[in-house]
């Protein structure tokens, strides 16, 4: 009697254990993601361009955090104060971009939720203040302005365009 072995299926790695979505589903998901998020470089570019960027930036952190550094021209509106102060500080016809400390903090997400529940169009700035500073964009503190050299792990050092 001759024994034949059954062919074995190739091992599936952890990346492909759950198969990728179909192209149509992926396009819908990634398109929706861009409706909810903006990155630091795009926000900086829009703010640096001549004219009105068409949105307002909101720093949702505490006063102590704001004093340590914030985006020039941002509105300081801590998340806990959004229900009582948003109508006084923000125009409901102007989209809002929220930010907090960085990718390890979901404060900008909570602020975006609070603003959306009040009827504002809102996006979250991915990377927060951490990546704003790490990518070498100017910021303000309670002592005045500042700017760090771009971190080569987060932004191109000799080029304003990362090619994304």
């Amino acid at each position: 009697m001759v024994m034949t072995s059954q062919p074995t299926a190739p091992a599936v790695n952890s990346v492909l254990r759950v198969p990728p979505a179909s192209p149509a589903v992926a396009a819908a998901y990634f398109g929706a993601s861009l409706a909810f998020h903006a990155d630091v470089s795009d926000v900086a570019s829009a703010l640096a361009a001549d004219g009105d960027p068409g949105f307002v930036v909101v720093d949702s952190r505490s006063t102590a955090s704001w004093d340590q550094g914030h985006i020039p021209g941002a509105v300081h509106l801590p998340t806990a104060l959004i229900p009582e102060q948003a109508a006084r500080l923000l125009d409901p016809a102007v989209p809002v971009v929220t930010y907090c400390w960085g990718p390890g903090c979901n404060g900008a997400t909570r602020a975006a939720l609070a603003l959306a529940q009040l009827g504002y169009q809102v996006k979250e700035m991915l990377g927060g203040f951490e990546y704003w500073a790490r990518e070498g964009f100017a910021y303000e503190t309670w002592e005045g302005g500042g700017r760090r050299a771009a971190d080569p792990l987060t932004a191109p050092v000799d080029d304003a365009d990362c090619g994304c």
Side-chain angles (χ1 to χ4, degrees):
M1 175 154 119
V2 175
M3 301 281 283
T4 60
S5 61
Q6 296 287 334
T8 58
V12 176
N13 63 42
S14 59
V15 172
L16 298 176
R17 189 169 293 129
V18 174
S22 71
V25 170
Y29 171 83
F30 292 117
S33 178
L34 292 172
F36 298 111
H37 301 110
D39 71 25
V40 168
S41 294
D42 288 343
V43 171
S45 176
L47 293 175
D50 290 335
D52 180 1
F55 61 87
V56 63
V57 178
V58 168
D59 184 316
S60 64
R61 301 172 301 146
S62 68
T63 298
S65 300
W66 167 268
D67 288 346
Q68 283 181 243
H70 57 271
I71 295 173
V75 172
H76 184 221
L77 182 54
T79 302
L81 301 178
I82 287 173
E84 65 187 61
Q85 294 185 6
R88 182 173 56 81
L89 296 173
L90 303 172
D91 180 345
V94 177
V96 176
V97 175
T98 63
Y99 75 91
C100 61
W101 272 115
C105 174
N106 67 0
T109 305
R110 288 192 302 272
L113 173 60
L115 288 163
Q117 289 172 331
L118 293 174
Y120 291 87
Q121 289 183 296
V122 63
K123 288 188 173 200
E124 177 183 4
M125 185 178 79
L126 299 176
F129 184 72
E130 176 189 350
Y131 276 73
W132 183 272
R134 288 181 72 184
E135 291 190 22
F137 299 117
Y139 56 86
E140 296 174 344
T141 73
W142 69 274
E143 297 175 306
R147 178 180 232 132
R148 298 170 52 155
D151 179 339
L153 296 177
T154 65
V157 175
D158 296 325
D159 191 353
D161 182 9
C162 70
C164 297

